[in-house]
Amino acid sequence: MDRFDCVSPLDFRYYVPNDRLRTLLDDYVTERARVRSEAMVEAAVTRVLARMGICSQEIADEVDHAAEVVTPEEVAEEEARIHHNIRALVNSMKTHVSDEAKPYLHFTLTSVDVIDTAAAWRLKGAALNGVLPALEELERVLIDLARREADTLQVGRTHGQHGVPITFGFAIAEYVSRLGGRIHAIRATAENLRGKISGAVGAYNASALMIDDPEEFERQVLAEVGLEPSPISTQIVEAEFVTDYMHALVSCFGVLANLADDMRNLQRTEIDEVAEEFEAQQVGSSTMPHKRNPWNFEHVKSMWKQFMPRMITVYSDQISEHQRDLSNSASQRFLPEIIVGLLDGATRLTKFMGRLVTDREKMRENLAMTEGMIGAEPAYILLAALGHPDAHEAVRKLTLQAQQTDTPLGEVLQASEELAEYRSQLTDRQREIILDPSQYTGIAAEKARSICDLWEGRLGLA
Amino acid sequence: MDRFDCVSPLDFRYYVPNDRLRTLLDDYVTERARVRSEAMVEAAVTRVLARMGICSQEIADEVDHAAEVVTPEEVAEEEARIHHNIRALVNSMKTHVSDEAKPYLHFTLTSVDVIDTAAAWRLKGAALNGVLPALEELERVLIDLARREADTLQVGRTHGQHGVPITFGFAIAEYVSRLGGRIHAIRATAENLRGKISGAVGAYNASALMIDDPEEFERQVLAEVGLEPSPISTQIVEAEFVTDYMHALVSCFGVLANLADDMRNLQRTEIDEVAEEFEAQQVGSSTMPHKRNPWNFEHVKSMWKQFMPRMITVYSDQISEHQRDLSNSASQRFLPEIIVGLLDGATRLTKFMGRLVTDREKMRENLAMTEGMIGAEPAYILLAALGHPDAHEAVRKLTLQAQQTDTPLGEVLQASEELAEYRSQLTDRQREIILDPSQYTGIAAEKARSICDLWEGRLGLA
Amino acid sequence: MDRFDCVSPLDFRYYVPNDRLRTLLDDYVTERARVRSEAMVEAAVTRVLARMGICSQEIADEVDHAAEVVTPEEVAEEEARIHHNIRALVNSMKTHVSDEAKPYLHFTLTSVDVIDTAAAWRLKGAALNGVLPALEELERVLIDLARREADTLQVGRTHGQHGVPITFGFAIAEYVSRLGGRIHAIRATAENLRGKISGAVGAYNASALMIDDPEEFERQVLAEVGLEPSPISTQIVEAEFVTDYMHALVSCFGVLANLADDMRNLQRTEIDEVAEEFEAQQVGSSTMPHKRNPWNFEHVKSMWKQFMPRMITVYSDQISEHQRDLSNSASQRFLPEIIVGLLDGATRLTKFMGRLVTDREKMRENLAMTEGMIGAEPAYILLAALGHPDAHEAVRKLTLQAQQTDTPLGEVLQASEELAEYRSQLTDRQREIILDPSQYTGIAAEKARSICDLWEGRLGLA
Amino acid sequence: MDRFDCVSPLDFRYYVPNDRLRTLLDDYVTERARVRSEAMVEAAVTRVLARMGICSQEIADEVDHAAEVVTPEEVAEEEARIHHNIRALVNSMKTHVSDEAKPYLHFTLTSVDVIDTAAAWRLKGAALNGVLPALEELERVLIDLARREADTLQVGRTHGQHGVPITFGFAIAEYVSRLGGRIHAIRATAENLRGKISGAVGAYNASALMIDDPEEFERQVLAEVGLEPSPISTQIVEAEFVTDYMHALVSCFGVLANLADDMRNLQRTEIDEVAEEFEAQQVGSSTMPHKRNPWNFEHVKSMWKQFMPRMITVYSDQISEHQRDLSNSASQRFLPEIIVGLLDGATRLTKFMGRLVTDREKMRENLAMTEGMIGAEPAYILLAALGHPDAHEAVRKLTLQAQQTDTPLGEVLQASEELAEYRSQLTDRQREIILDPSQYTGIAAEKARSICDLWEGRLGLA
């Protein structure tokens, strides 16, 4: 397959050329991984059949061997002939075992026993061995950044307008916490993915024919691949285990997109508080040679826009008629794409947050832009505390006056006769905060550090 | 407001005229509930201020009183004047307290402290006191139905085609389990909803000005309304607590829609295994007087189509720029609609599943339709177990022969010379199952009962 | 119905209190409008029956009268009794006519003949008499603004970074054009909405029983309400006429959201190029008295987030099984909400774009921020035109040098020995543009004006 | 790239192995097509520059040659070095031209001039040369089927319940009409796709530097590739041209999904009116050898579930900040996937509708199932026409009586004393229809034929 003759950018542009992603995910998200994991489930079944005395251990060994040597190439060729992917797998595996072993391959199973169980194994493995390590690495980078910038003064913004001060580390700590929460959610839902070995309509019809306790058979087979059974199943596992898992991934993508959005907004020419480190050879624009665009952050947002809506597919796939219609089959083949999309975003953020350039001087300049107007809040709070009956309205009028006369708010306040009585009751520290609101950061720095400590501990990242 | 001059059918058609829904949800989802809960948060703040010695207990009592007496009408009128809903609430409450108390109303708060905390309280209350009781009632009905029909023979279907037999109770038990799982998910995410009292940009700037441990202040205020704080916040609570909660609701709606779809398909004229009980006066069609349409089940599916896509809004609202942009404000005002939509579906299903008419005779007839063709699976399994090297293919050919000669599969099998050797090795019981596959139900009945026992126990529904 | 006991903010907050919206839309989007329009269709049918000699003109007159006097209150009461909305309408209308007339009411119709036809009439009317006038008013405001600011220098931004200059009027003209395009799309799809009078399964079974040319009967009935028939129908009109119409609305909402986003970004404290005019009494923040938040623009974005995802519902409703399942019924009752959401956004933008405050001085300051760095593009183009073999790379290096030495790019260029040969070949005008790139606006001003002329003409807005 | 190491099933499973799809789409949807079309746009620019006398014809010829010989491999290698895809293309093309020609490559362009113009060319080409031929082939198959079955009696169903009769050809004609409508919509929106050659922020800043009428320059370049310009542009073409086009595709997919759903429902074991023709070797189920699943129809539904939600991405991409942010870049790279998904569905339907097996006998049996109950509608209509004041209610009661006594409705009606007076006034033909409602098909057959004639003519398919 020539990459230039492909349609989906996911493989030829974002996944296949990315060694980091392939190392993390190859065992779980590729077509090869699909075939291997399905063969692995077939082998697990035969091992348990041997343990239960239904077939010999030699047969189980043969099938184990077949599962190891069967290739996706063989299976694909057989599928092209018979148009049924699991029967193609079974037929292919049969060519690697003796005639005695043949009947015990896929014995009492329905295709979806294999498909759903193998899919759960892959989705779980992708999470535990791919997604979570990558997200923890990003978490590590964010914790380091939040600590480094815990005391870096920055204006807090709401509605894109200057509000009251925070520190940049505090702003990053928000993402430490939200990402930490999503890491927990992904782990919990991944570990809760379920398999099934309950046959064509979920009632263990076939296995009950041969085995006294077919639920015990199911438990043992699934234990071989580290899974527990769906509480009950039709032809398919209860849909909600995968639904919850995909929700955890997609809602994690939302956190990454929000972080990316914040970073790209901080890079606006007029704000200019942070920057992506550019490589020496890198071209910003094909026509505006001076441009340094925050394109990696924009890219993360764009990938989120591509993958988030796919939750609609996941929610739609909750519905399957009676003991199952197949209309969730092709759609679910696309699920691993969401994992790749998420990790494309996460690894990119790890790289660019890890080399984020912070301009502390510019942050201070921006904070100073409104000439003390951000002191409006402490002024109003303190006036109220001193008993002013309508402090908010009084200060709102002062801010208008400050704007109209182009005077720092602190000075306008100092000059106000109406407020003289209250002013005199302020402590020195309080007066200082109103006049220099850059001191008005609450517990931003401490909070940044405590959130970092919390998640470093919880995730064992120390 | 005249209902006939309204646009949204949610209120005039589905909610306001529905006493059951109003009893369950009125305290949490209406505009009145919004104002009351926000006033309640304001009062909680002043009580804690008094406890911390910042204001007197008398002032706290005054504010408690104001929170009880302030009306949504007053607040709406003030908002029309000043275009700010929380300031309007505060101004309205001020008219009910003394001048001494006025400064301590909303003291050190930002609007969203009140908005997000009150919203968490309402969403949590709606779940615990409205959604969960309604869903548990549906669960009760499904458990009763699954038990009643645990032994009712029905054909299991995949792809809309007859597969192998189950029991109708087993089919219902699938929904007992899936709905049980969603009840757990809704409870867990509802109990995990968070508030915040951390000020305009989340750094406790204002409260730290007056209180030594502003996080303790936040904890105490939230404890007054039964909530815990967001681990960290900007102007708003971390988005994912609400995101997870809405996911739990919407994924629960998917389970209801699947159940409704299954029921309406079983009512197709040709299948006709179940029926909605019709009321004597009810008209099925304006022009086809004989019609008995499964319209309540169709309605549930239709409501799911209306509300499920709103998760896109929820996921989009995870993104808020810097310490917050307001673009999640109007959109989040619509969140309670999803709760109402879900309960409209749940209460309707409770009613119609509770009076579901099951036609056991028709189920048996349908099972018999394919003249034993559903014995293909046990035949193939047993042949394989007896060592036939290609049992699946052998039986597949028999089924073609049975179809072409219009002969029951069992007879074709009995007549097959090729298989004579294997046939002689079958036990009586095994031969019986192949000839009368209605006995081939695996452990369907037991499984139906054990799932019912499980969820009855877990939910304390006994 | 008390507005404070309602759930959906659409009515109690955004629609019912908004006189402007009600004037535009009341006849088309309310429950009253639904009942009236359905009665109107019933009357149209009887008029055509009379014209065809099937009933007398007196009967048609009676039914016309019944359609005028029947109230939504009566119909709702009857529906509560019989659970069928169109039969309820017919029963209610029957109470207003003689026994002779009764059989000719709803004669040969199926409910959906009335429902779909009346819905098409309402959606069309809402577009032609509500949506389009409102959008044209916004277009008028945008044209005026684009003309007023056609020569106002502003930096063009890509990726949030300064690119090369435009004019503010040119930026607005983009929206004149895109909105103009959507106005056309809405008109075209609205005028293409279709009705049907083809009976229960679309084959004119009933009407063919009584009328020789039932398609002619359908055409005449629909002509009475200004519609054409669906080319073919099942119980329902072909879905795509409504799908296209909703797409036109939703894609128009995207244009409004983009405009709103641009305006709120221009109001960031650091950019500060435009402002919403505030009312004297208005409060910006409950705790930060100095804030002037761009909340109306944020609101439009938020409403777009609420309504855009509903296209998923519309696309899902394209699927209806066989001659129709009902799962599009409840979901389609919510369609008028999208119209209200769109006009809430449009009328708000009309108001706030109409009073947009432009700070031309600040625009010039921002343009000057990068000290000529935006001259990089013309420098590179001109060098290339003069034959420099790698002009882009040469200028990219100059921009790095300019940044490192904090020197205006023009000066760096003037001083470059390497480029001396090329520099000498520049015309005065060209040199001027490189040194003062504020002259480098291409044809921005002319384009702004020509786009305004174009749409003013096309829409007859002069 | 090894297909088994890929993630996206679109390429390795659905596109690359499908010769038919590759023949239709390779020139427009692959990565190779992307690079070729972008080179083509660069060449078109230089040709127009030569025509305008800005560079020599020799240079234009050199660039034409470079566009032909440049390979995606070269471009990919250069992009890996400089991280900018269009600059990589330009650099690669430069290696194929003389030093004199180099400056005129990409002269006055911004990257997106090339990207958007080439994308419009590809999307348009994919529609005109791939999508439309494939859809017209499906339309041809549907027309043939509708004609063949124009008189085949079938029960019309609403809510999955038997309504009144139609013909199977009439049911198919519904899809002839809806698909025909979508073919028109796709053609119209494809032909309306636009390019742009207006530079970095859309104001022709660079081209106006060198060319007197830069809009004429743009028009001529675009004419070279068969496109017209966006009325106005920022860095990008107005978003709505692509939005409308994707809507046309996605709404067409909805029609295909509805058709697929109808066909799979008609294949339910109990209904069994149509069948997919199976290949001799084909396996229906890995464990139930008798199964013949309608999996190709299910597959089409499943692909629709995967691709339809991507309209959310398309609508989100309407929003781009100011003169453009890049967050639509990666997301738009995935657009061609929707085209492939649609054609996977269309070509599959062409194949399986083309070999659809219709069981006319079973259709008649199903029609007869309700023992004349479907005569309820004509009975009620005729009674009403004869002046019965409450015909609907009278017939509804008869249907209950027929059910309770298990008597054909016609007989119950014949026996009704209450209705004797009306009965006697029926014509023979009318009485016949009530007793044998299989004659009650309205104009189904004629309508089927006229719709076929209409679209055969419109699309020139004869």
Side-chain angles (χ1 to χ4, degrees), chain B residues 423-439:
Chain B
R423 204 163 52 226
S424 63
Q425 301 173 52
L426 292 169
T427 66
D428 286 355
R429 171 72 185 149
Q430 289 171 339
R431 195 172 293 114
E432 206 177 337
I433 283 180
I434 293 177
L435 292 175
D436 174 13
S438 73
Q439 300 185 31

PDB file of all heavy atoms in Angstrom, chain B residues 423-439:
ATOM      1  N   ARG B 423     -23.731 -39.288  13.825  1.00  0.00           N
ATOM      2  CA  ARG B 423     -25.071 -39.247  14.385  1.00  0.00           C
ATOM      3  C   ARG B 423     -25.247 -40.348  15.431  1.00  0.00           C
ATOM      4  O   ARG B 423     -25.852 -40.144  16.483  1.00  0.00           O
ATOM      5  CB  ARG B 423     -26.085 -39.447  13.254  1.00  0.00           C
ATOM      6  CG  ARG B 423     -27.456 -38.885  13.530  1.00  0.00           C
ATOM      7  CD  ARG B 423     -28.233 -38.769  12.239  1.00  0.00           C
ATOM      8  NE  ARG B 423     -28.230 -40.024  11.514  1.00  0.00           N
ATOM      9  CZ  ARG B 423     -27.998 -40.143  10.198  1.00  0.00           C
ATOM     10  NH1 ARG B 423     -27.767 -39.080   9.449  1.00  0.00           N
ATOM     11  NH2 ARG B 423     -27.996 -41.321   9.616  1.00  0.00           N
ATOM     12  N   SER B 424     -24.687 -41.493  15.131  1.00  0.00           N
ATOM     13  CA  SER B 424     -24.880 -42.636  16.045  1.00  0.00           C
ATOM     14  C   SER B 424     -24.225 -42.397  17.402  1.00  0.00           C
ATOM     15  O   SER B 424     -24.567 -43.034  18.384  1.00  0.00           O
ATOM     16  CB  SER B 424     -24.293 -43.898  15.396  1.00  0.00           C
ATOM     17  OG  SER B 424     -22.885 -43.709  15.231  1.00  0.00           O
ATOM     18  N   GLN B 425     -23.282 -41.462  17.461  1.00  0.00           N
ATOM     19  CA  GLN B 425     -22.587 -41.226  18.723  1.00  0.00           C
ATOM     20  C   GLN B 425     -23.287 -40.192  19.616  1.00  0.00           C
ATOM     21  O   GLN B 425     -22.846 -39.916  20.728  1.00  0.00           O
ATOM     22  CB  GLN B 425     -21.147 -40.758  18.455  1.00  0.00           C
ATOM     23  CG  GLN B 425     -20.334 -41.756  17.639  1.00  0.00           C
ATOM     24  CD  GLN B 425     -18.980 -41.171  17.252  1.00  0.00           C
ATOM     25  OE1 GLN B 425     -18.250 -40.685  18.108  1.00  0.00           O
ATOM     26  NE2 GLN B 425     -18.676 -41.201  15.967  1.00  0.00           N
ATOM     27  N   LEU B 426     -24.334 -39.563  19.089  1.00  0.00           N
ATOM     28  CA  LEU B 426     -25.038 -38.544  19.879  1.00  0.00           C
ATOM     29  C   LEU B 426     -25.803 -39.197  21.033  1.00  0.00           C
ATOM     30  O   LEU B 426     -26.345 -40.297  20.893  1.00  0.00           O
ATOM     31  CB  LEU B 426     -26.038 -37.785  18.990  1.00  0.00           C
ATOM     32  CG  LEU B 426     -25.443 -36.875  17.904  1.00  0.00           C
ATOM     33  CD1 LEU B 426     -26.551 -36.411  16.959  1.00  0.00           C
ATOM     34  CD2 LEU B 426     -24.742 -35.682  18.548  1.00  0.00           C
ATOM     35  N   THR B 427     -25.853 -38.507  22.181  1.00  0.00           N
ATOM     36  CA  THR B 427     -26.712 -38.973  23.265  1.00  0.00           C
ATOM     37  C   THR B 427     -28.166 -38.682  22.902  1.00  0.00           C
ATOM     38  O   THR B 427     -28.454 -37.885  21.993  1.00  0.00           O
ATOM     39  CB  THR B 427     -26.394 -38.228  24.576  1.00  0.00           C
ATOM     40  OG1 THR B 427     -26.747 -36.865  24.379  1.00  0.00           O
ATOM     41  CG2 THR B 427     -24.921 -38.337  24.936  1.00  0.00           C
ATOM     42  N   ASP B 428     -29.080 -39.262  23.621  1.00  0.00           N
ATOM     43  CA  ASP B 428     -30.502 -39.013  23.360  1.00  0.00           C
ATOM     44  C   ASP B 428     -30.822 -37.533  23.517  1.00  0.00           C
ATOM     45  O   ASP B 428     -31.524 -36.924  22.714  1.00  0.00           O
ATOM     46  CB  ASP B 428     -31.375 -39.820  24.333  1.00  0.00           C
ATOM     47  CG  ASP B 428     -31.377 -41.293  23.938  1.00  0.00           C
ATOM     48  OD1 ASP B 428     -30.789 -41.629  22.875  1.00  0.00           O
ATOM     49  OD2 ASP B 428     -31.942 -42.096  24.692  1.00  0.00           O
ATOM     50  N   ARG B 429     -30.304 -36.966  24.596  1.00  0.00           N
ATOM     51  CA  ARG B 429     -30.553 -35.550  24.883  1.00  0.00           C
ATOM     52  C   ARG B 429     -30.049 -34.663  23.739  1.00  0.00           C
ATOM     53  O   ARG B 429     -30.727 -33.727  23.314  1.00  0.00           O
ATOM     54  CB  ARG B 429     -29.837 -35.199  26.197  1.00  0.00           C
ATOM     55  CG  ARG B 429     -29.789 -33.727  26.570  1.00  0.00           C
ATOM     56  CD  ARG B 429     -31.128 -33.206  27.012  1.00  0.00           C
ATOM     57  NE  ARG B 429     -31.094 -31.763  27.249  1.00  0.00           N
ATOM     58  CZ  ARG B 429     -32.115 -30.954  27.064  1.00  0.00           C
ATOM     59  NH1 ARG B 429     -33.280 -31.434  26.680  1.00  0.00           N
ATOM     60  NH2 ARG B 429     -31.999 -29.666  27.287  1.00  0.00           N
ATOM     61  N   GLN B 430     -28.887 -34.984  23.247  1.00  0.00           N
ATOM     62  CA  GLN B 430     -28.307 -34.177  22.169  1.00  0.00           C
ATOM     63  C   GLN B 430     -29.135 -34.303  20.901  1.00  0.00           C
ATOM     64  O   GLN B 430     -29.403 -33.310  20.208  1.00  0.00           O
ATOM     65  CB  GLN B 430     -26.854 -34.610  21.915  1.00  0.00           C
ATOM     66  CG  GLN B 430     -25.932 -34.182  23.074  1.00  0.00           C
ATOM     67  CD  GLN B 430     -24.524 -34.762  22.983  1.00  0.00           C
ATOM     68  OE1 GLN B 430     -24.299 -35.760  22.308  1.00  0.00           O
ATOM     69  NE2 GLN B 430     -23.591 -34.136  23.685  1.00  0.00           N
ATOM     70  N   ARG B 431     -29.545 -35.539  20.607  1.00  0.00           N
ATOM     71  CA  ARG B 431     -30.367 -35.732  19.414  1.00  0.00           C
ATOM     72  C   ARG B 431     -31.686 -34.949  19.539  1.00  0.00           C
ATOM     73  O   ARG B 431     -32.152 -34.322  18.598  1.00  0.00           O
ATOM     74  CB  ARG B 431     -30.640 -37.233  19.222  1.00  0.00           C
ATOM     75  CG  ARG B 431     -31.159 -37.569  17.825  1.00  0.00           C
ATOM     76  CD  ARG B 431     -31.246 -39.076  17.599  1.00  0.00           C
ATOM     77  NE  ARG B 431     -29.941 -39.732  17.557  1.00  0.00           N
ATOM     78  CZ  ARG B 431     -29.501 -40.619  18.456  1.00  0.00           C
ATOM     79  NH1 ARG B 431     -30.262 -40.975  19.480  1.00  0.00           N
ATOM     80  NH2 ARG B 431     -28.308 -41.160  18.342  1.00  0.00           N
ATOM     81  N   GLU B 432     -32.228 -34.978  20.737  1.00  0.00           N
ATOM     82  CA  GLU B 432     -33.473 -34.262  21.019  1.00  0.00           C
ATOM     83  C   GLU B 432     -33.338 -32.746  20.745  1.00  0.00           C
ATOM     84  O   GLU B 432     -34.215 -32.128  20.145  1.00  0.00           O
ATOM     85  CB  GLU B 432     -33.793 -34.469  22.503  1.00  0.00           C
ATOM     86  CG  GLU B 432     -35.250 -34.378  22.871  1.00  0.00           C
ATOM     87  CD  GLU B 432     -35.423 -34.683  24.374  1.00  0.00           C
ATOM     88  OE1 GLU B 432     -34.527 -35.359  24.958  1.00  0.00           O
ATOM     89  OE2 GLU B 432     -36.413 -34.216  24.945  1.00  0.00           O
ATOM     90  N   ILE B 433     -32.256 -32.185  21.179  1.00  0.00           N
ATOM     91  CA  ILE B 433     -32.042 -30.736  20.986  1.00  0.00           C
ATOM     92  C   ILE B 433     -31.950 -30.383  19.514  1.00  0.00           C
ATOM     93  O   ILE B 433     -32.502 -29.386  19.046  1.00  0.00           O
ATOM     94  CB  ILE B 433     -30.786 -30.274  21.755  1.00  0.00           C
ATOM     95  CG1 ILE B 433     -31.127 -30.155  23.241  1.00  0.00           C
ATOM     96  CG2 ILE B 433     -30.257 -28.947  21.205  1.00  0.00           C
ATOM     97  CD1 ILE B 433     -29.977 -29.710  24.109  1.00  0.00           C
ATOM     98  N   ILE B 434     -31.279 -31.246  18.755  1.00  0.00           N
ATOM     99  CA  ILE B 434     -31.172 -30.957  17.323  1.00  0.00           C
ATOM    100  C   ILE B 434     -32.543 -31.035  16.655  1.00  0.00           C
ATOM    101  O   ILE B 434     -32.887 -30.200  15.808  1.00  0.00           O
ATOM    102  CB  ILE B 434     -30.194 -31.943  16.640  1.00  0.00           C
ATOM    103  CG1 ILE B 434     -28.780 -31.673  17.161  1.00  0.00           C
ATOM    104  CG2 ILE B 434     -30.243 -31.809  15.125  1.00  0.00           C
ATOM    105  CD1 ILE B 434     -27.738 -32.628  16.623  1.00  0.00           C
ATOM    106  N   LEU B 435     -33.345 -32.010  17.071  1.00  0.00           N
ATOM    107  CA  LEU B 435     -34.652 -32.182  16.437  1.00  0.00           C
ATOM    108  C   LEU B 435     -35.667 -31.166  16.941  1.00  0.00           C
ATOM    109  O   LEU B 435     -36.550 -30.742  16.217  1.00  0.00           O
ATOM    110  CB  LEU B 435     -35.162 -33.614  16.656  1.00  0.00           C
ATOM    111  CG  LEU B 435     -34.351 -34.674  15.904  1.00  0.00           C
ATOM    112  CD1 LEU B 435     -34.828 -36.067  16.255  1.00  0.00           C
ATOM    113  CD2 LEU B 435     -34.433 -34.447  14.381  1.00  0.00           C
ATOM    114  N   ASP B 436     -35.515 -30.772  18.185  1.00  0.00           N
ATOM    115  CA  ASP B 436     -36.432 -29.768  18.737  1.00  0.00           C
ATOM    116  C   ASP B 436     -35.616 -28.639  19.362  1.00  0.00           C
ATOM    117  O   ASP B 436     -35.411 -28.574  20.562  1.00  0.00           O
ATOM    118  CB  ASP B 436     -37.337 -30.395  19.815  1.00  0.00           C
ATOM    119  CG  ASP B 436     -38.188 -29.320  20.493  1.00  0.00           C
ATOM    120  OD1 ASP B 436     -38.254 -28.178  19.960  1.00  0.00           O
ATOM    121  OD2 ASP B 436     -38.763 -29.615  21.553  1.00  0.00           O
ATOM    122  N   PRO B 437     -35.150 -27.772  18.529  1.00  0.00           N
ATOM    123  CA  PRO B 437     -34.215 -26.764  19.041  1.00  0.00           C
ATOM    124  C   PRO B 437     -34.850 -25.791  20.038  1.00  0.00           C
ATOM    125  O   PRO B 437     -34.134 -24.974  20.602  1.00  0.00           O
ATOM    126  CB  PRO B 437     -33.724 -26.053  17.782  1.00  0.00           C
ATOM    127  CG  PRO B 437     -34.508 -26.571  16.645  1.00  0.00           C
ATOM    128  CD  PRO B 437     -35.388 -27.669  17.097  1.00  0.00           C
ATOM    129  N   SER B 438     -36.152 -25.910  20.250  1.00  0.00           N
ATOM    130  CA  SER B 438     -36.733 -25.025  21.258  1.00  0.00           C
ATOM    131  C   SER B 438     -36.175 -25.365  22.640  1.00  0.00           C
ATOM    132  O   SER B 438     -36.308 -24.588  23.580  1.00  0.00           O
ATOM    133  CB  SER B 438     -38.256 -25.151  21.261  1.00  0.00           C
ATOM    134  OG  SER B 438     -38.627 -26.383  21.841  1.00  0.00           O
ATOM    135  N   GLN B 439     -35.556 -26.516  22.771  1.00  0.00           N
ATOM    136  CA  GLN B 439     -34.926 -26.849  24.046  1.00  0.00           C
ATOM    137  C   GLN B 439     -33.522 -26.264  24.160  1.00  0.00           C
ATOM    138  O   GLN B 439     -32.867 -26.372  25.200  1.00  0.00           O
ATOM    139  CB  GLN B 439     -34.850 -28.368  24.224  1.00  0.00           C
ATOM    140  CG  GLN B 439     -36.218 -29.007  24.217  1.00  0.00           C
ATOM    141  CD  GLN B 439     -36.141 -30.498  24.506  1.00  0.00           C
ATOM    142  OE1 GLN B 439     -35.258 -30.964  25.224  1.00  0.00           O
ATOM    143  NE2 GLN B 439     -37.063 -31.241  23.950  1.00  0.00           N
TER     144      GLN B 439
END
